[in-house]
Each structure stands twice: as structure tokens, then as C-alpha cells.
Amino acid sequence: MSTERKPLSLPRLQQMHADGEKIAMLTCYDAAFASLLDGAGVDILLIGDSLGNVLQGRGSTAPVSLDDMVYHTTCVRRGVKTAWVLADLPFDSYHVSKEEAWKSAAALVKAGAQMVKLEGGGWTVETVRFLSERGIPVCAHLGFTPQTVNALGGFKVQGRDEAGAARIKRESQELVEAGAAMLLYEMVPATLAAEITAASKVPVIGIGAGVGCSGQVLVLHDMLDITPGRRPRFVKNFMAGAASIQDAVGRYVAEVKAQTFPDNQLHSY
């Protein structure tokens, strides 16, 4: 019997969430790593605007352009056989109008993305509805949102107090009702993320949001111990003790699936 993995689809990801099968996601920016990650069993490849930090050496994601995202999405798509491909809508590509968001999202889909991700709740609800109704799946990113780091006052955990938790719950519900097919929580208390995930109709991916989410994501360069400087609390170095990059990625996938990563005591809030 063949064990070759079938291409991931949105219904399959939704079924994984419903069945409690954990989803492994990593960022990816080129064809070579796309092939390696796909072969190691990563379920979702995220072409993240984090490329501004890890590839371009910038201090934030804000300078990343739509052209940058289209280029790297095209590269990743060429290396993928089975993984689901998710691409970030970069800063200043969806903020002015729903129509602007459509043009930007369509450019990423034409480049090979199967889903796009945008940051924030509230004002983004109608944008999510506009894109979803026209056939582009959307992942909504809540909690700490890197594109608005200045407005948030720095790299801070979101949803720690009662008002903040209530806001994340409310915005999550509004976004899903508007058509968001996936949620991503960054730097959200593990108990809050687990509570929302348990009641969610759609998969919830966490980064610094605890083991109770439907799946996990890390920046590839962080988990391979390539990124210089101090690492966020939620990062684990999977290269430590690994025989190769592929081995490190395989260990990441295995630990996500087994729910041994993240460890809420070490990697969560």
C-alpha cells in the first residue's frame, strides 16, 4: 500500500482540526526549502512577511512589499507537491479598501498561494467577508500582530487581562462568521487559546499560544537556530542534536503531532 501523502486541502485541514490531529506549519521562502519541508511532512508552508526580518535583515515586517511576497510565493510554489500554501498579505496591501485587498490577494493566488493571511480584527471583518465570498480562503491573525508592533507598544503578550481576552474572543467569532477559514494566534495566553480552539469551527494555529491550538507554526530560521540574537520564548532549537536540517524539521513535525511541542511551561504564556 502506498504511503505517499495526498495534497492537503482546506477540507482536509478542517477535518484534522475536528479530529484533534495536530497541524504542523513552518515559514518558507524558496523552492529548495519548500521541497525539503514538504518531504518532511510539514502540512502548511507559510510565506511570511517575516522574510523582511530573516532574509532582508530589516527590523520589522512593515517594509516588505507585495512584489516581495509574490516573488517568494512563486518560488515556494515551485517546490511544493502536497503541502498547503499560505501567503501573508503585507503591510499597506489591504488597508485602504476591500478592493485593494482583493487585488493584493489575487496577486498572491496567481503566484501559487491557496490561502492568504491578514492581521487584526474589527476593521478587517468586511475585508475577510469580501475575499471569502469571492473564493479566496483567508487566515486571520490575532493577538500580537507584527505589522502593528508600534501601536501595540512593542512585543507584548495580548489577551492577558479580562478586556483583552474578551476582545480576542469577540474578534475571532466575528472573523469566522465573516468567512475566515483559519485563525492564527501569536503570543496569546495558552489557556485562552485552548478555550477558543476547543469551541472553534475552524483550525487555530498557534505561535506562542500553547499546545491547545489545532496546530503550531514557527519561523523556519528560528527553529533551525539560524536567526542571530535573542529568540522569543516560544522558539525551540530543533537543530540541537539533529543529524541534518531534514531531521530537525522531521522532529518538529513529530513533536507537534505528539503534542510534546510546545511545552506550555517553557514556550507559552
Side-chain angles (χ1 to χ4, degrees):
M1 181 180 295
S2 175
T3 59
E4 185 175 348
R5 184 169 74 163
K6 295 180 179 179
L8 272 289
S9 65
L10 189 54
R12 172 61 184 141
L13 293 169
Q14 292 168 336
Q15 190 62 51
M16 290 171 72
H17 163 65
D19 292 344
E21 180 182 349
K22 297 299 181 179
I23 299 167
M25 181 193 299
L26 284 172
T27 65
C28 188
Y29 315 102
D30 61 55
F33 267 109
S35 180
L36 187 152
L37 269 54
D38 196 359
V42 178
D43 298 307
I44 304 176
L45 304 187
L46 168 63
I47 302 92
D49 56 5
S50 52
L51 67 88
N53 305 104
V54 299
L55 298 188
Q56 298 176 343
R58 300 181 184 274
S60 77
T61 62
V64 175
S65 70
L66 181 60
D67 285 344
D68 291 334
M69 295 304 303
V70 167
Y71 171 77
H72 286 281
T73 300
T74 301
C75 292
V76 169
R77 181 73 262 175
R78 290 172 181 156
V80 171
K81 290 184 178 179
T82 64
W84 183 253
V85 178
L86 167 63
D88 274 342
L89 284 165
F91 181 73
D92 195 28
S93 72
Y94 59 98
H95 300 69
V96 173
S97 68
K98 301 187 296 293
E99 291 76 16
E100 177 194 50
W102 170 262
K103 290 292 187 183
S104 299
L108 293 173
V109 170
K110 290 177 181 178
Q114 295 165 291
M115 172 182 270
V116 299
K117 180 165 71 68
L118 50 71
E119 294 185 4
W123 67 272
T124 62
V125 168
E126 290 309 311
T127 300
V128 169
R129 191 187 315 279
F130 192 86
L131 297 178
S132 299
E133 288 180 345
R134 287 157 179 78
I136 296 181
V138 179
C139 173
H141 182 151
L142 296 174
F144 174 71
T145 47
Q147 292 177 4
T148 54
V149 60
N150 295 321
L152 295 174
F155 295 84
K156 297 181 178 180
V157 179
Q158 304 296 307
R160 270 186 161 156
D161 60 15
E162 186 175 342
R167 178 180 177 183
I168 290 174
K169 289 180 180 180
R170 181 183 70 253
E171 291 181 344
S172 297
Q173 182 176 353
E174 291 171 347
L175 288 160
V176 172
E177 289 176 351
M182 185 178 293
L183 298 172
L184 188 149
Y185 292 153
E186 182 167 357
M187 293 175 64
V188 168
T191 53
L192 174 61
E195 177 187 350
I196 299 173
T197 301
S200 178
K201 297 178 181 178
V202 303
V204 179
I205 307 300
I207 178 167
V211 73
C213 295
S214 313
Q216 303 295 325
V217 63
L218 285 176
V219 171
L220 178 65
H221 292 60
D222 289 349
M223 58 84 68
L224 294 179
D225 199 33
I226 296 171
T227 309
R230 183 181 177 184
R231 306 288 193 281
R233 173 186 174 92
F234 52 76
V235 172
K236 177 177 177 177
N237 174 14
F238 282 88
M239 277 302 295
S244 65
I245 291 175
Q246 188 158 10
D247 181 36
V249 174
R251 290 171 61 192
Y252 167 76
V253 172
E255 291 192 22
V256 170
K257 300 288 185 180
Q259 302 183 52
T260 55
F261 176 81
D263 180 332
N264 280 356
Q265 299 302 314
L266 298 176
H267 308 113
S268 306
Y269 303 93

